[in-house]
Amino acid sequence: MFNVKTVSALTRARADIHFKRFTSTRRLRSTATSASTEQEDDVRGGGGGGSTSSPRSECPGESGSRRGGERDAANEISVDFDQTQEAYKSKDSLELLRSLVVFKLCSYDFLVDKNKEIMDLGKKVMGQKAFDQFMKMTFYGQFVAGEDHRAIKPLIQKNQAFGVGSVLDYSVEEDISQEEAEQKEMDSCVSAAEKESIGKDHREKKYKAHKQFGDRRGGVTGARTYFYADEAKCDQHMETFIKCIKASGGSSMDGFSAIKMTALGRPQFLLQFSEVLVKWRRFFIFLASQQGKDGMEALEQRLELTQLQEFLTKLGAKGDFYSWFTGRKEESTGCIDMLDWNSLIDDRTKISDLLVVPNVELGELEPLLEKFTIEEEKQMKRMLQRIDVLAKHAQENGVRLMVDAEQTYFQPAISRLTLEMQRIYNRGKPVIFNTYQCYLKEAYDNVTMDVELSRREGWHFAAKLVRGAYMYQERERAQEIGYEDPINPDYESTNTMYHRCLDYVLDEIALNRNANVMVASHNEDTVKHTLRRMNELGLLPTENKVYFGQLLGMCDQISFPLGQAGFPVYKYVPYGPVNEVMPYLSRRAQENRGFMKGAQKERELLWKELKRRLSSGDLLYRPAY
């Protein structure tokens, strides 16, 4: 039957690493967004109209403003993104010319579609050494910082001298065929019990591996992909990430380093744990509907404990839910919300014991699978250990660790494990950053719940907001396999979601200065909206609470003026050996073609600056720093 005598933290389940839950010393108020407006964003380009912000409403019985101090117009900070001399002062004229050539070539469909064949031919004709040098002068040199942590230092230091920091991202991607990728995915995402068809399981098709979507590289915009080989390979990835963290710490005082959790362990665990989290959340929503509270936003739904106890008892559940919840709170209102409910996920002796889901009809907790092997237990524990090792290295090296978002069938587990790291390492300052994909229908609920949890427990919320990299793949998978499309229906609804999430976090920063956000967008209107909101809320760039992020080699006319105006802005900096980074670059060329075609303003500004230098005799300009 439903077991309520549980301990609260998820990842303390591992034997030798203690992810412990910190109890809050005070009950902090819960907030919810009462209105939202349609606004503009596109991480990969595009645009839309501006609008007003989304105000928050207070909880019943509470008063006070959610906004920070107003600033008068004389003190407002603005940035001009059309001043080419300032935007490109870190670039010599050859670099500007390279940008123009690369952007133009990337706008031709034929060259983009056949880029792999063209590169293979180039290697044969030129030889590997000459080909590598040619790539460094063109595409590789435009989008990649260098081959290793030593080679990238000059570029990082130059950018930093002009006010732009770095998010280091080791971007080597295994160059394997689609068939190999599909086979690896099936081998690593299917448990031993499923392979042997032993016993009964309660899996949903969304959270099962499907061979036709086994190659996770397809339809992905600018994100590298890892496929599980064995535990030794995961250890190698961890060591690579450690080198990346150390390189970031050695290159700057306030750098970031990016990691992907699928590189750190067998993805089977992420699939299974994601399904558990989703089913527990779905069960809470079901119980809320039984109390007439369906249709409300996630944080507004509260279960009355007396009714909950009566309902679960009728189902045959054993245990005193009412006293369990009220006994663990300093103040009890007789109600619980989604965050209280999430604490029911317990930490038993074995990690596989976490992978249980509620059965409403039977009133029981059912395991997802009847059998887990000893090796599967070890693999799950090793993934948690690797994550913890990286968090510790980031903290010791003064580096912020950016956990990238991935596919929706992995993401609930990735977000939960990231949150557990935040609860430990973000106590004094923001060390661990989670990534929220705003093209997802549930993005706002995810952001608001995590902000509220950080407020209750007193740690620093830290987020990177992106539009998302897996839209086409996710839509096709949902349609083919037969589950609800997790993506917002259109571009405008994604814009609305992005700005709704952004405004909520900005309001939170203005309230208590404990939240942090990176606005990862190439959209000039989105950046201007953020600056406008910062001025309204009295958020100074020197507080280092609101960051901006763009990809290396793109949108310099946004990044460098922001940096020179004193805003914390960062380039996502890929690096790695030429030959091993080319699969990643090849896909980026294909999947960013829409952005390259639409980068008309950037090309115009580049031409404008080149012509200015020619007419003023500055064509041989060299950046001084």
Side-chain angles (χ1 to χ4, degrees), residues 349-398:
T349 304
K350 295 196 301 182
I351 297 174
S352 60
D353 288 343
L354 287 168
L355 304 178
V356 293
V357 294
N359 184 312
V360 177
E361 290 77 19
L362 300 178
E364 294 178 348
L365 291 178
E366 300 175 326
L368 277 184
L369 298 168
E370 289 295 325
K371 177 182 177 182
F372 286 86
T373 67
I374 294 173
E375 182 56 30
E376 285 171 339
E377 285 282 346
K378 290 179 179 177
Q379 289 168 350
M380 288 187 278
K381 183 180 291 187
R382 288 191 201 112
M383 174 180 272
L384 301 178
Q385 290 170 339
R386 292 181 189 110
I387 295 167
D388 191 65
V389 166
L390 293 174
K392 286 178 179 175
H393 273 87
Q395 186 178 55
E396 291 166 1
N397 286 272

Side-chain angles (χ1 to χ4, degrees), residues 311-325:
F311 180 77
L312 292 177
T313 301
K314 285 179 183 177
L315 286 178
K318 294 180 180 179
D320 185 356
F321 278 82
Y322 188 95
S323 63
W324 188 80
F325 278 111

